[in-house]
Amino acid sequence: MSRTELLSVIKEDLVSKGITTLDYLFNDLNENVLFDSLSPVAQHAYVKFLADELSDKSDKFMKFTSSVELGTYLANKYSNLEHEELHVISVDIHNRVLADDCITVGSIDRSIAVPRDVFRSAIMNNAAGFFIMHNHPSCDLQPSPNDVHFTESISSLAKTMNIRFLDHLIVGGGSYLSLRENMIL
C-alpha cells in the first residue's frame, strides 16, 4: 500500500470513532491510548507507515563506496515490486545518500521516464552525483535497447551539466546489474 492509502485507512478508522483533529491523534498515539483503540487493520497501516518513514530517514546519509554495495542494497529493497519504478539516488561529494526519489511508476514491463525528471531530482537535492535505478519485475536483468539509450542520454547530459552520473542499476529477483560494471555506461 502507498503511504496515502495507509494514511487513508488510519483516517477512516479515526473518523469512525469521532476523532477528527490531528493534535489529538498524535498526542494520544504517543501515549499508546489511541493506538490500542484502532482496529487491527488501522494498527497495521499505522505501523507500516511508521516503518516506511523510518526506512526513508535511515537511508539518508548512508555512504556507498561502490556499485556493488549500492546494487546489493537496492536489490534487497526493490526487487519484490510488481511494477517498474525508476529512482534517482542523489549523493553528496562523499557519496552519502541525500535522497532516493521515485521518478516514475510504470506497469509490469515498462516505465516511461524523461531525462528532465532525473536531473530535476538531482538538482533539487543539490547532488554532487547520482545513480539511477529501475527494477525489472520479470527478474531478467538484461537491459533493453531503451534502457541503454536512456542511460546514454543521461550520461551525455550529466557531462554537459557537470553532475557526476555514477551508474545505472537494474534490480530484480534479489540481484542487480550495473551498466557501468558491464561496460554499457
Side-chain angles (χ1 to χ4, degrees):
M1 259 194 237
S2 72
R3 290 181 187 181
T4 303
E5 292 168 324
L6 291 171
L7 287 174
S8 179
V9 168
I10 297 165
K11 181 181 175 188
E12 287 173 20
D13 194 69
L14 293 172
V15 168
S16 74
K17 293 175 174 47
I19 300 166
T20 57
T21 65
L22 291 178
D23 289 339
Y24 182 73
L25 166 66
F26 291 114
N27 288 338
D28 281 350
L29 280 176
N30 287 334
E31 297 172 19
N32 294 324
V33 173
L34 185 60
F35 181 80
D36 292 338
S37 69
L38 291 174
S39 70
V41 171
Q43 285 180 346
H44 177 75
Y46 180 69
V47 169
K48 175 77 171 105
F49 178 80
L50 290 179
D52 287 350
E53 286 290 306
L54 183 59
S55 174
D56 282 354
K57 299 222 182 319
S58 67
D59 290 350
K60 291 194 178 190
F61 300 107
M62 291 179 74
K63 183 175 180 179
F64 295 99
T65 58
S66 70
S67 290
V68 173
E69 286 180 6
L70 182 61
T72 301
Y73 173 78
L74 294 172
N76 289 328
K77 187 170 182 177
Y78 294 114
S79 282
N80 295 324
L81 295 175
E82 295 177 357
H83 57 273
E84 280 200 15
E85 291 186 1
L86 174 72
H87 288 246
V88 175
I89 297 89
S90 298
V91 296
D92 67 11
I93 194 71
H94 302 290
N95 288 343
R96 289 182 298 227
V97 174
L98 299 171
D100 175 354
D101 295 326
C102 179
I103 302 303
T104 63
V105 175
S107 64
I108 60 170
D109 63 347
R110 71 180 44 103
S111 178
I112 298 172
V114 293
R116 172 183 61 240
D117 295 332
V118 170
F119 287 98
R120 179 183 303 122
S121 173
I123 290 167
M124 294 296 290
N125 288 303
N126 200 27
F130 66 95
F131 296 84
I132 57 176
M133 180 284 307
H134 79 280
N135 64 307
H136 282 176
S138 67
C139 300
D140 177 4
L141 299 180
Q142 282 307 116
S144 70
N146 286 339
D147 293 340
V148 173
H149 176 71
F150 185 73
T151 302
E152 290 169 347
S153 296
I154 296 295
S155 180
S156 175
L157 290 166
K159 288 174 187 166
T160 300
M161 296 183 69
N162 199 26
I163 299 175
R164 293 180 302 140
F165 175 38
L166 301 164
D167 205 346
H168 180 172
L169 302 161
I170 300 173
V171 302
S175 297
Y176 77 93
L177 177 130
S178 160
L179 274 72
R180 182 169 302 284
E181 289 173 1
N182 285 278
M183 310 299 241
I184 298 169
L185 175 62

